[in-house]
Amino acid sequence: MRITHHHRAAGRHVRGHGVGATGLALLLALSAAGCGIRSMDVPVDAGPAPSRASCTVPEGAGEVDVYLVCGSRVESVPRDVPLPDPAPFEGEAPGDPTEPAEVSAAERLAVAGRLLRELQAQPPEEEQAAGFSSAVPEDLRVTGPLGSDPERLLRLSLHPDDLPAFALVQIICTFAHTRPVGDGTSVLLAGPAETEDREARGYTCASSLRNRPENAPNAGTEVILPSSSAEPTGASQERGTE
């Protein structure tokens, strides 16, 4: 009788264990299914989408570096841009690339206006396919120095601080690397004459600025301008001649 009782208890124990395992498996399955449904309602930050921009400069490019936006940085794209040929210094051989040529404010403005139009125009299809674009506003204008402003100063119709950061870096680097607008590395920029509360700045096109364009508003070295500013010196209120 003890043996029979022992076997019955064992049987009941086994059957109970089987039911418990089945119930546990069912609960786990329902829990997993429920978690899967709830996860669809919660946004997941998987990071930025992978960029397909190659930033590869198209073949057959020219000799003027125009700086465009590509991905999260600003890159140069050599283009064939016809620019005015300024008169050389006295005793300097024409076309000598080692020294900047002496130019008037009007000549400098003409080159700056031509470069600005390049930045404002929509990039060609082959550049767009490589990921290049421009952030420079289409209605932006550039003028020459006013009154006793430094000869090399260029005034924009918007103060540099009010421009989109990427657009400012595009202008800084394109102007700085094109003589006679810049000196090969830097350019002197200011806003309209009425923005007297914000001085001109000398900007350098550094690799750190091209790689982190968002830092552009804090870039540049302030240049104190004379308080009197009258008519443009040798320059019109337009972007320059074609």
Side-chain angles (χ1 to χ4, degrees):
M1 294 299 294
R2 292 179 182 177
I3 295 176
T4 302
H5 177 75
H6 174 76
H7 280 292
R8 287 178 181 176
R12 286 196 301 269
H13 177 72
V14 171
R15 286 195 298 271
H17 178 75
V19 172
T22 303
L24 179 60
L26 180 59
L27 287 174
L28 289 175
L30 291 174
S31 176
C35 290
I37 294 174
R38 287 195 298 270
S39 66
M40 298 297 292
D41 297 331
V42 180
V44 177
D45 184 6
S51 175
R52 297 181 179 179
S54 66
C55 300
T56 302
V57 178
E59 296 182 0
E63 298 180 354
V64 176
D65 285 333
V66 175
Y67 283 77
L68 302 175
V69 178
C70 194
S72 60
R73 60 189 188 275
V74 171
E75 298 282 354
S76 64
V77 177
R79 285 184 181 174
D80 184 13
V81 182
L83 298 177
D85 187 13
F89 286 122
E90 183 178 354
E92 179 188 7
D96 187 349
T98 60
E99 294 291 339
E102 184 177 17
V103 298
S104 66
E107 289 175 310
R108 184 175 293 108
L109 176 61
V111 176
R114 185 69 183 85
L115 294 174
L116 182 58
R117 289 192 294 275
E118 283 291 316
L119 293 173
Q120 292 171 323
Q122 186 175 9
E125 291 184 1
E126 59 271 20
E127 292 179 6
Q128 293 185 47
F132 291 102
S133 63
S134 181
V136 177
E138 294 182 359
D139 59 349
L140 187 67
R141 299 291 184 270
V142 59
T143 61
L146 300 174
S148 55
D149 284 348
E151 288 186 1
R152 301 189 68 86
L153 179 66
L154 290 169
R155 289 184 174 273
L156 301 173
S157 56
L158 285 176
H159 192 277
D161 290 347
D162 297 330
L163 287 170
F166 279 75
L168 179 56
V169 176
Q170 286 184 255
I171 293 171
I172 291 172
C173 292
T174 302
F175 282 11
H177 287 163
T178 307
R179 288 172 171 163
V181 179
D183 62 6
T185 58
S186 62
V187 65
L188 186 60
L189 298 175
E194 55 268 23
T195 58
E196 295 179 355
D197 58 321
R198 289 179 288 185
E199 303 294 352
R201 289 182 185 174
Y203 295 93
T204 299
C205 179
S207 59
S208 57
L209 188 61
R210 298 194 303 271
N211 292 328
R212 299 293 298 273
E214 63 273 15
N215 295 332
N218 299 321
T221 302
E222 289 192 0
V223 177
I224 300 177
L225 301 177
S227 57
S228 61
S229 293
E231 295 298 322
T233 303
S236 67
Q237 292 289 335
E238 300 178 355
R239 286 186 292 173
T241 58
E242 295 289 341

